[in-house]
Amino acid sequence: MAYNASLYIFIFLPICLAVYQMTPEKHRWKVLLGFSWLFFYMISGKLIVYLLGTTLLTHYIGIWLTWLKTREQMEIGNADRMQKKEIKKKYQKKRRAVLFLGVLILLSVLACLKYYNFFVHNTEMILDRFSLAFPLETRQVMMPIGISFYTLQAIAYMADVYWGKIQAEENPGRMALFLGFFPQIMEGPICRYSDTAESLYQGKSLRYENISDGYVRIFWGLFKKKIVADRLAAPVGVIFGHYTQYHGAVVAAAAVAYTVQLYMEFSGCMDIVIGSGKLFGISLPENFRQPFCARNASEFWRRWHITLGTWFKTYIFYPVSVSGPVKRWNQYGRKHAGKYVTNLVTSALALFPVWLCNGLWHGAKWSYIFYGMYYFTLILLGTAVKPVRERILQACHIREDAPYWRVLQIGKTWVIIFTGELFFRADGFRAGLHMFRSIFRGFDIRQFWDGTLLGFGMGRADLIAVAAGCIVVAVVGSVSERKGNVIGRLGKVRTPLRWCAYYALILAVFLFAAYGDGYQAVDLIYAGF
Amino acid sequence: MEELMEILREIDDSIDYEKETALIDSQLLDSFGVITLVAELEENFDITIEAAEMVPENFNSAEAIWKMIQRLQEN
């Protein structure tokens, strides 16, 4: 049952809303938990034990950390200054060990399920070169849905309790709801406990504004997914699936089409997810903010899959940048290498694990690792050339905020994004490299409009629907960029205009979506991660 | 406080640090700027900034940064 399925939108959600509303306020979170487990079970069956295990572990680690903190404070009570320092140090060590244990168990489970075959396959290949045999074999591994998402949420929760940013949750049921809330379990957003827990447990009564705003957001997501993304799935599948047969503009168009498909699909799914939360009065964090308006790779990642970027920044980038070895380098570098080199190396040291993890998080493939390294290199390069770039701009009298300069920068970022997504979607790193090279073979720009691009499972009518859908999304995005979230504020505009927009949106989804013969139901891409 | 202002101006002199209260939230100071700032603060104020301190509330304004410095110096 995907979020875009009729079963979810027209049966599962309304039944959940009805039961939720009929239940007394203080027990409503239990209804959400029950439906969350039901949702999970309907997709992953018995694999729900992984979610339950993670829940119990996360709850226990939180309680353990709190218990240690309480003990520390009790011991500190009557101690003098020197003793206090010693006690703090002792308990800091203990709490760090507990956090390490929790994170290690979570990551071990994730590694066994997600990276086992990758590890075995690559080790076999290496040993094979030396004519050695590897005792382990690849095997069929069943992964529960959302494990990459709820594992990150669990780690964030443990780290936040460890840092004293939040109080540990004492009720394991509530912890279960935080980790398993059905709208966000499959594709995120990756929520932090401090952002969502309170509204999850509040049990707010249903309100007309929330229901209408929520369903508008859901239909906006369906618009993106059904009208644009699902139509692009066919040509993208054909070209990427038989990449050796194509070259030039066709491959370039496939890279663009996949990027648009991925954005419409993932951001559309996020609209459905955020809309679903809104129905219950629960605010989930936004995951996209007009990513195609970004002026560089770094800004793109602040606008694309925002909660993943924030997670990496908070739990990897900053902790690494203030860790012992990096600090020691900083001190050494400032004395011997100068500020520029020191800052650059520090940035590289903190950035490398972020992008390695980003690549690996998407899956156990070399092409994903390359994808991470690609952005690591580009972002680091951006930092390295910043002083020179500023001097050149000054010398050429180019203002950063000049419209023409902004357009050029956005264009450059698009090329970076499309290239990255080409490797991301390609069937392995070699296929990606082959496709990238083939763009420059027999490239003829006229192929973009001479009809060559028709006939990959997408007719003229489909192309018009996709183009119209993209224009609508671009206009809404452009207005949202300047004036704030347009879809979110639709409920506040005058009644006739509002209903006109509602009808247009609903009719568009029902009339122009990729339904019927010739179309296949397309699985959610990010649910596979 | 003047020493802090100098450090901030060295990182980016186009920002009005006396008035700005959303250095992180408005992304005026990016993550590279933050780690450069942290290194400068540790060196100049003889403090240790842990990962737990790396939250927007501590870096959103010059005043917030100054308060963090004072708090860490007392510990």
Side-chain angles (χ1 to χ4, degrees):
Chain A
M1 181 171 54
Y3 294 126
N4 56 307
S6 305
L7 176 65
Y8 173 77
I9 294 167
F10 300 115
I11 296 173
F12 186 89
L13 267 180
I15 292 175
C16 183
L17 284 166
V19 178
Y20 175 89
Q21 184 64 15
M22 284 188 291
T23 308
E25 209 170 276
K26 66 173 182 177
H27 296 300
R28 282 176 180 160
W29 68 269
K30 294 173 191 166
V31 173
L32 293 179
L33 176 60
F35 274 86
S36 294
W37 279 351
L38 175 67
F39 181 85
F40 197 98
Y41 187 79
M42 285 168 78
I43 298 169
S44 284
K46 286 186 287 187
L47 298 179
I48 197 169
V49 293
Y50 286 107
L51 177 65
L52 298 179
T54 300
T55 302
L56 292 178
L57 176 77
T58 311
H59 173 257
Y60 184 69
I61 294 288
I63 297 291
W64 197 354
L65 288 168
T66 307
W67 180 78
L68 285 170
K69 190 77 193 162
T70 314
R71 292 273 307 225
E72 179 188 335
Q73 277 161 357
M74 277 167 61
E75 281 190 33
I76 278 177
N78 300 320
D80 62 34
R81 200 180 160 85
M82 280 305 287
Q83 284 173 322
K84 272 182 191 173
K85 256 191 171 174
E86 283 302 311
I87 294 166
K88 274 187 181 177
K89 210 172 161 184
K90 182 177 84 178
Y91 277 96
Q92 170 95 0
K93 219 172 167 182
K94 282 187 181 181
R95 281 187 285 123
R96 193 176 292 164
V98 171
L99 174 70
F100 181 75
L101 177 72
V103 173
L104 184 72
I105 295 172
L106 287 178
L107 290 182
S108 302
V109 173
L110 187 65
C112 284
L113 294 175
K114 204 168 172 175
Y115 307 107
Y116 172 81
N117 284 339
F118 180 72
F119 169 73
V120 171
H121 178 68
N122 283 285
T123 315
E124 263 176 359
M125 276 194 357
I126 295 166
L127 291 179
D128 198 41
R129 295 199 169 195
F130 302 100
S131 305
L132 294 168
F134 190 54
L136 298 175
E137 284 179 4
T138 54
R139 54 188 160 90
Q140 185 84 20
V141 181
M142 298 289 285
M143 272 218 306
I145 55 153
I147 186 167
S148 305
F149 293 93
Y150 70 70
T151 300
L152 294 195
Q153 279 198 189
I155 292 173
Y157 168 84
M158 290 176 186
D160 285 350
V161 174
Y162 169 78
W163 284 330
K165 287 181 187 172
I166 55 168
Q167 292 289 316
E169 175 58 63
E170 288 182 6
N171 187 328
R174 288 178 178 231
M175 173 56 62
L177 178 59
F178 165 66
L179 291 178
F181 184 43
F182 68 86
Q184 41 113 146
I185 187 73
M186 208 192 280
E187 292 205 7
I190 299 158
C191 302
R192 291 179 70 180
Y193 185 82
S194 51
D195 292 336
T196 53
E198 201 183 324
S199 61
L200 277 174
Y201 311 144
Q202 251 174 359
K204 282 182 193 165
S205 290
L206 301 185
R207 292 179 59 190
Y208 170 75
E209 302 83 40
N210 287 341
I211 300 280
S212 65
D213 287 355
Y215 265 108
V216 165
R217 191 77 194 256
I218 288 171
F219 270 87
W220 179 236
L222 287 174
F223 178 93
K224 290 177 179 173
K225 161 88 176 138
K226 292 283 185 185
I227 295 177
V228 183
D230 284 3
R231 277 197 170 83
L232 289 171
V236 166
V238 170
I239 299 168
F240 276 88
H242 307 89
Y243 63 91
T244 49
Q245 297 171 20
Y246 306 106
H247 58 85
V250 173
V251 177
V256 176
Y258 176 64
T259 308
V260 175
Q261 183 203 355
L262 187 64
Y263 171 67
M264 293 294 184
E265 224 236 51
F266 192 18
S267 75
C269 177
M270 283 305 110
D271 290 321
I272 299 173
V273 165
I274 291 167
S276 300
K278 183 80 184 170
L279 299 175
F280 300 94
I282 295 162
S283 296
L284 296 171
E286 294 290 342
N287 230 359
F288 289 90
R289 193 168 52 82
Q290 291 76 253
F292 297 103
C293 292
R295 300 208 269 186
N296 51 52
S298 195
E299 190 186 349
F300 170 70
W301 277 97
R302 289 199 295 270
R303 293 168 173 268
W304 175 282
H305 207 171
I306 298 168
T307 56
L308 181 70
T310 307
W311 194 96
F312 283 130
K313 188 166 76 178
T314 312
Y315 301 102
I316 297 183
F317 184 83
Y318 283 143
V320 171
S321 67
V322 295
S323 64
V326 175
K327 278 186 177 175
R328 279 195 288 280
W329 154 253
N330 244 319
Q331 284 165 357
Y332 175 85
R334 278 163 182 270
K335 280 180 195 154
H336 302 96
K339 274 188 187 177
Y340 174 77
V341 174
T342 308
N343 289 341
L344 194 64
V345 175
T346 304
S347 301
L349 291 172
L351 211 53
F352 180 78
V354 165
W355 288 103
L356 180 66
C357 292
N358 187 307
L360 281 171
W361 180 87
H362 283 94
K365 274 178 160 184
W366 284 108
S367 54
Y368 291 144
I369 295 172
F370 172 80
Y371 180 73
M373 290 302 104
Y374 170 75
Y375 276 105
F376 164 71
T377 310
L378 285 172
I379 292 172
L380 194 64
L381 210 61
T383 311
V385 300
K386 199 177 170 191
V388 180
R389 186 179 158 277
E390 280 170 2
R391 253 177 265 156
I392 294 172
L393 290 183
Q394 223 168 14
C396 300
H397 305 292
I398 296 171
R399 281 189 303 115
E400 281 274 14
D401 55 352
Y404 75 92
W405 185 244
R406 192 183 165 89
V407 170
L408 281 174
Q409 282 186 301
I410 290 174
K412 171 208 71 182
T413 312
W414 283 18
V415 174
I416 290 171
I417 299 167
F418 298 149
T419 308
E421 296 305 344
L422 178 116
F423 281 94
F424 186 79
R425 173 63 174 80
D427 188 17
F429 175 65
R430 280 184 193 168
L433 206 58
H434 178 98
M435 289 182 80
F436 181 71
R437 283 183 184 151
S438 71
I439 292 175
F440 306 99
R441 187 156 46 84
F443 187 91
D444 183 356
I445 200 160
R446 283 171 300 183
Q447 286 184 317
F448 281 116
W449 58 79
D450 69 359
T452 306
L453 299 178
L454 295 173
F456 293 101
M458 201 168 85
R460 198 170 293 277
D462 288 319
L463 195 63
I464 293 169
V466 166
C470 287
I471 290 168
V472 171
V473 173
V475 170
V476 169
S478 169
V479 179
S480 298
E481 179 71 5
R482 283 177 283 122
K483 299 185 174 174
N485 190 347
V486 172
I487 300 297
R489 286 185 298 134
L490 205 55
K492 292 188 180 71
V493 300
R494 278 175 297 164
T495 311
L497 189 64
R498 189 172 79 238
W499 278 95
C500 181
Y502 288 170
Y503 282 137
L505 188 57
I506 293 167
L507 281 174
V509 170
F510 282 112
L511 293 178
F512 303 119
Y515 295 119
D517 293 342
Y519 296 115
Q520 289 182 330
V522 183
D523 290 337
L524 295 170
I525 299 170
Y526 259 73
F529 298 138
Chain B
M1 186 73 172
E2 194 43 46
E3 197 178 350
L4 169 64
M5 287 299 191
E6 264 176 46
I7 293 170
L8 287 168
R9 279 193 283 266
E10 205 177 307
I11 291 170
D12 188 341
D13 60 0
S14 65
I15 301 169
D16 183 356
Y17 292 102
E18 278 171 18
K19 287 184 185 154
E20 191 52 63
T21 55
L23 290 170
I24 305 295
D25 294 341
S26 306
Q27 288 164 2
L28 295 169
L29 206 59
D30 64 10
S31 42
F32 297 114
V34 172
I35 60 172
T36 306
L37 175 63
V38 165
E40 293 283 353
L41 296 180
E42 290 197 337
E43 190 178 292
N44 288 280
F45 295 98
D46 194 25
I47 53 172
T48 304
I49 298 175
E50 302 282 352
E53 302 289 347
M54 308 295 278
V55 288
E57 304 87 77
N58 282 346
F59 292 90
N60 259 333
S61 66
E63 200 186 329
I65 300 168
W66 183 242
K67 275 186 184 162
M68 178 183 69
I69 294 168
Q70 289 179 314
R71 179 164 48 79
L72 293 174
Q73 280 176 331
E74 280 167 20
N75 284 344

